[in-house]
Amino acid sequence: MNTEDYIKFLEKEIHTTIIATVDEKGLPVTCAIDIMHSDEKVYISYCKRKGFYHRLIKEKFIALTGN
């Protein structure tokens, strides 16, 4: 499978995934997100007022789990 195949699988077969970021103390924080796809990129939906957005902008690294 290539990258495009994995992205399509995330979007079509799994859709809702668990994403992990770290908080200001370096501790893991998880939340459920929906995967959307377009043009060989992964798009996720989030609210700028929520902690997830602020953790993502600050750290720029995630762990993603789909089941």
Side-chain angles (χ1 to χ4, degrees), residues 9-10 29 32-33 38 42 44 56 66:
F9 186 80
L10 278 174
V29 181
I33 62 162
S38 178
V42 174
I44 59 175
L56 185 61

Side-chain angles (χ1 to χ4, degrees), residues 1-14 35 37 40-42:
M1 290 178 76
N2 62 30
T3 302
E4 179 69 15
D5 294 330
Y6 285 111
I7 292 171
K8 284 181 183 176
F9 186 80
L10 278 174
E11 177 201 12
K12 302 289 185 194
E13 302 297 327
I14 296 174
I35 297 292
H37 167 259
E40 299 182 8
K41 296 178 184 177
V42 174

Side-chain angles (χ1 to χ4, degrees), residues 38-60:
S38 178
D39 302 327
E40 299 182 8
K41 296 178 184 177
V42 174
Y43 292 89
I44 59 175
S45 179
Y46 55 84
C47 178
K48 287 185 175 183
R49 295 184 305 261
K50 301 284 184 170
F52 170 69
Y53 172 79
H54 298 288
R55 291 188 307 273
L56 185 61
I57 295 303
K58 182 178 178 189
E59 298 298 329
K60 300 193 186 339

